[in-house]
Amino acid sequence: GAVVSQHPSRVICKSGTSVKIECRSLDFQATTMFWYRQFPKQSLMLMATSNEGSKATYEQGVEKDKFLINHASLTLSTLTVTSAHPEDSSFYICSAGRGGYGYTFGSGTRLTVV
Amino acid sequence: AQRVTQPEKLLSVFKGAPVELKCNYSYSGSPELFWYVQYSRQRLQLLLRHISRESIKGFTADLNKGETSFHLKKPFAQEEDSAMYYCALRETSGSRLTFGEGTQLTVNP
């Protein structure tokens, strides 16, 4: 079946540095990628939607200059958290859309900013 | 704006008992509804979608447009059903999913 690989699974970084999270569709082409953020014991909150070759569409309240999304190919999307701060610590999940076949989720990345 | 509500954050039942996880939605159009499940230390995965009208792992869910609900049911819960369950909605013309808050189901032996 369709698999989405998300790396790294965990990352700890110092405040002020940037962190890149990768999301790859391994055996299918993902025309659309979604990036979510999940706080402890809360639901998934959509951050942005990206289509291959075009700029991402950010949800209200999400800083596009802070959360840079690149979807340069049909199999790779990246989320870069720039100048990370402790409040950016969270669980980030990507999801690849496969048209009428639904969505496939990555395993998530636990970001801790110290 | 669309919204998905799962009123129970925690639900605990005994093995063999019936279980119902509630989901209500608000959306002005005709949505597509999903149930996703997340087992411990695993990624989110699709359990079922209303347009398929299928039963997966003994679970069923019927879309009730009058009550704007999409409750997930299973007549006899198993211990391996213990997981986090999310109800989600997709707009008619869009592709984004809106998730409910999730319900942690625990099936006790």
Side-chain angles (χ1 to χ4, degrees):
Chain A
V3 176
V4 170
S5 175
Q6 184 173 345
H7 292 283
S9 58
R10 295 175 185 272
V11 58
I12 301 173
C13 70
K14 291 185 177 181
S15 187
T17 61
S18 296
V19 173
K20 180 184 282 188
I21 302 170
E22 288 191 352
C23 187
R24 292 180 184 273
S25 57
L26 298 185
D27 49 5
F28 67 98
Q29 293 183 329
T31 53
T32 307
M33 286 281 200
F34 304 88
W35 286 94
Y36 296 86
R37 184 173 180 175
Q38 186 177 31
F39 291 102
K41 300 186 186 299
Q42 294 189 29
S43 187
L44 287 76
M45 300 300 295
L46 182 64
M47 299 174 65
T49 303
S50 73
N51 292 294
E52 184 264 339
S54 61
K55 289 185 177 180
T57 302
Y58 289 81
E59 295 299 303
Q60 191 172 11
V62 177
E63 300 176 58
K64 60 182 180 181
D65 293 331
K66 181 167 189 59
F67 298 100
L68 301 179
I69 291 173
N70 184 282
H71 193 167
S73 76
L74 285 170
T75 59
L76 174 65
S77 178
T78 60
L79 167 67
T80 302
V81 183
T82 62
S83 187
H85 291 283
E87 57 266 29
D88 298 325
S89 298
S90 191
F91 194 60
Y92 294 87
I93 304 171
C94 67
S95 171
R98 299 185 293 133
Y101 297 97
Y103 310 86
T104 302
F105 287 81
S107 52
T109 298
R110 172 75 59 195
L111 170 64
T112 303
V113 185
V114 297
Chain B
Q2 67 279 8
R3 183 170 178 166
V4 178
T5 304
Q6 293 177 249
E8 302 141 328
K9 283 201 169 185
L10 302 172
L11 184 61
S12 183
V13 300
F14 285 103
K15 176 183 174 182
V19 63
E20 180 180 55
L21 289 81
K22 290 184 168 52
C23 172
N24 289 90
Y25 67 90
S26 61
Y27 179 60
S28 57
S30 293
E32 187 173 0
L33 275 296
F34 303 80
W35 275 100
Y36 282 86
V37 60
Q38 188 171 30
Y39 299 102
S40 179
R41 301 183 185 279
Q42 294 187 29
R43 67 187 68 198
L44 206 64
Q45 55 186 285
L46 178 67
L47 181 61
L48 51 81
R49 53 199 298 188
H50 91 268
I51 61 172
S52 300
R53 304 181 73 80
E54 57 194 348
S55 174
I56 302 295
K57 298 184 179 182
F59 285 97
T60 59
D62 291 318
L63 179 61
N64 186 322
K65 292 186 178 181
E67 296 183 358
T68 59
S69 68
F70 188 56
H71 303 327
L72 183 67
K73 301 177 183 179
K74 185 169 182 176
F76 308 102
Q78 303 299 315
E79 290 180 67
E80 55 265 29
D81 295 328
S82 296
M84 191 73 171
Y85 291 80
Y86 292 96
C87 182
L89 175 154
R90 181 165 69 181
E91 303 164 26
T92 310
S93 59
S95 59
R96 51 180 290 181
L97 284 176
T98 300
F99 285 88
E101 302 92 337
T103 298
Q104 178 68 51
L105 173 65
T106 301
V107 181
N108 299 299

